[in-house]
Amino acid sequence: MSNFFDLNVHAYPETNTPAEEMLRVARRYGYAGIAITNHDDSVEEQQETSPSIYMGIEIRTNSVSELNRKLKQHSGKVPLLVVHGGDEKINLAALKDHRVDILAHPCGEKGEGVLNHVLVRYAVENGIAIEFNMSALIYSRRGDRARILGRMRDNLHLVRKYKAMSILTSNARSIYDLRAPREMIALASLFGMRREEAVSALSDIPLSILEQRWNKEKEVEIL
Amino acid sequence: MRRRDRRRYLVFEVMSEIEVDKYKLLNAIWNSMYSLYGDIGTSESKLWLVKYDKKGIGMLRCAHSKVDEVRAALACIYSVNGALVGIRVIGISGTIKAASRIA
């Protein structure tokens, strides 16, 4: 059995569900750990609670200069740096910056954003994972979902071509939004992701991102 | 010739804020299937709700080749009658007897 991780979960204080409650349900579903990545504009300060809960922050902004300022502010202080993607300018600026760990939903929450060859190459160069947000599939129907599935299919194609890192996340805002690993794999198959790819996007790749940040932290300690 | 269709029995668990009514849940499952696979795809899945109890454990029957499709449709259900829900498949079996042991 693999070690599964969900690296994009929103918990208290951004939502009403405490992080421990999220972890309890995620554990029951078969995850080894989760990362709480609340949006930076909705929370002030947060503390690490349990060793299986990794703390991150999801930077949400519309302007590139503000993104750079916020990256500077949070870099080195928060273990997992996630950028709220969707906007083309933000996608580009985030993928060009090696401090970023994950670009969340590059196709946007409504399928409005796009990735292209240039952006994915930057992602590979800077070791940034491209996130596939399953809640966008769960919460949309008809035209919206068709558009999002199409975008994800395109993104997957690019990710395969350039061997970029991709991860599957739930973007859960309550315990009812969490989905067990096998359900995530079934959802990923809707846009053509193969089983092995999906397993690795839930286990090996998130783990390598977490280890990366752990090494970074150690380096900081040595300095 | 094969005498009957090959089937799979999926045991699932519904996590919900409130007790979920069997018929409302069934409705949500059908809607999710129609939305994802259309009328033809849904008919091919041969979906049938075998049983469901109020504690949130239920059993579905489907064609053996459509397990992943049904699983995705279940995962896409986010609310039943206005209450938030999350559905997870706990086990799959080829016979109703073995599936009952899972539940």
Side-chain angles (χ1 to χ4, degrees):
Chain A
M1 200 66 181
S2 310
N3 279 328
F4 295 111
F5 294 92
D6 187 342
L7 296 192
N8 198 336
V9 174
H10 300 275
Y12 182 82
E14 188 183 341
T15 65
N16 292 326
T17 315
E20 290 82 3
E21 179 74 1
M22 285 284 194
L23 181 69
R24 188 182 65 79
V25 176
R27 278 262 172 86
R28 213 169 103 89
Y29 280 5
Y31 287 99
I34 56 172
I36 303 294
T37 53
N38 286 334
H39 287 102
D40 67 315
D41 47 8
S42 62
V43 289
E44 293 279 299
E45 199 68 26
Q46 41 192 5
Q47 288 155 352
E48 198 126 0
T49 38
S50 148
S52 300
I53 300 179
Y54 301 90
M55 280 299 169
I57 200 148
E58 184 171 340
I59 298 172
R60 179 165 55 186
T61 172
N62 292 322
S63 96
V64 174
S65 57
E66 204 184 335
L67 174 70
N68 288 328
R69 192 176 57 73
K70 282 178 171 176
L71 280 173
K72 201 172 172 187
Q73 179 195 339
H74 293 295
S75 166
K77 291 180 196 131
V78 189
L80 206 59
L81 265 181
V82 185
V83 174
H84 183 95
D87 185 276
E88 208 169 330
K89 293 196 307 281
I90 296 296
N91 282 353
L92 175 65
L95 292 176
K96 268 182 158 177
D97 200 308
H98 66 276
R99 289 172 293 190
V100 177
D101 294 306
I102 298 166
L103 176 64
H105 39 76
C107 54
E109 282 167 311
K110 293 240 167 352
E112 69 276 16
V114 280
L115 280 181
N116 56 38
H117 298 73
V118 181
L119 292 183
V120 177
R121 270 200 192 136
Y122 277 126
V124 177
E125 214 170 279
N126 294 318
I128 298 166
I130 306 288
E131 182 208 80
F132 289 91
N133 169 15
M134 292 301 107
S135 84
L137 295 181
I138 295 170
Y139 276 92
S140 61
R141 291 291 183 268
R142 291 168 176 266
D144 282 343
R145 184 152 67 185
R147 192 170 55 241
I148 295 167
L149 279 169
R151 291 270 196 253
M152 286 186 175
R153 215 175 276 275
D154 292 346
N155 292 352
L156 179 65
H157 192 74
L158 288 167
V159 161
R160 275 183 191 152
K161 186 168 177 190
Y162 293 101
K163 298 191 174 60
M165 292 195 287
S166 56
I167 58 168
L168 291 177
T169 65
S170 69
N171 248 290
R173 303 185 61 84
S174 76
I175 53 167
Y176 309 108
D177 292 339
L178 288 169
R179 292 291 178 271
R182 285 186 164 183
E183 268 67 38
M184 298 286 272
I185 294 166
L187 285 168
S189 75
L190 295 176
F191 57 88
M193 197 181 250
R194 285 189 295 267
R195 198 188 161 76
E196 325 78 80
E197 290 175 318
V199 168
S200 144
L202 279 169
S203 54
D204 308 345
I205 299 171
L207 189 64
S208 78
I209 296 168
L210 292 172
E211 274 171 356
Q212 212 179 343
R213 70 118 210 183
W214 198 67
N215 287 339
K216 262 194 241 166
E217 270 188 0
K218 272 203 296 197
E219 275 169 39
V220 172
E221 272 171 37
I222 294 162
L223 290 171
Chain B
M1 212 180 91
R2 219 169 53 227
R3 274 176 302 157
R4 45 181 182 161
D5 296 338
R6 295 181 70 187
R7 292 160 171 173
R8 285 290 179 273
Y9 294 87
L10 279 78
V11 180
F12 63 93
E13 175 200 58
V14 180
M15 193 169 312
S16 169
E17 299 170 301
I18 51 161
E19 217 169 73
V20 172
D21 178 71
K22 180 178 173 177
Y23 296 97
K24 301 240 161 72
L25 174 72
L26 191 55
N27 203 13
I29 295 173
W30 281 115
N31 281 336
S32 183
M33 285 295 290
Y34 286 137
S35 173
L36 269 177
Y37 307 110
D39 295 351
I40 297 169
T42 305
S43 76
E44 284 168 352
S45 74
K46 299 189 177 168
L47 201 63
W48 185 258
L49 184 63
V50 180
K51 59 180 174 188
Y52 178 73
D53 70 34
K54 285 194 172 134
K55 280 178 284 179
I57 305 285
M59 194 196 293
L60 279 169
R61 186 179 73 205
C62 72
H64 88 290
S65 57
K66 300 290 174 193
V67 170
D68 281 337
E69 281 85 345
V70 172
R71 197 193 278 274
L74 289 177
C76 284
I77 298 169
Y78 63 89
S79 92
V80 174
N81 206 20
L84 289 174
V85 298
I87 301 178
R88 170 177 74 119
V89 175
I90 4 187
I92 300 172
S93 165
T95 63
I96 203 163
K97 195 176 167 189
S100 304
R101 279 202 293 268
I102 301 168

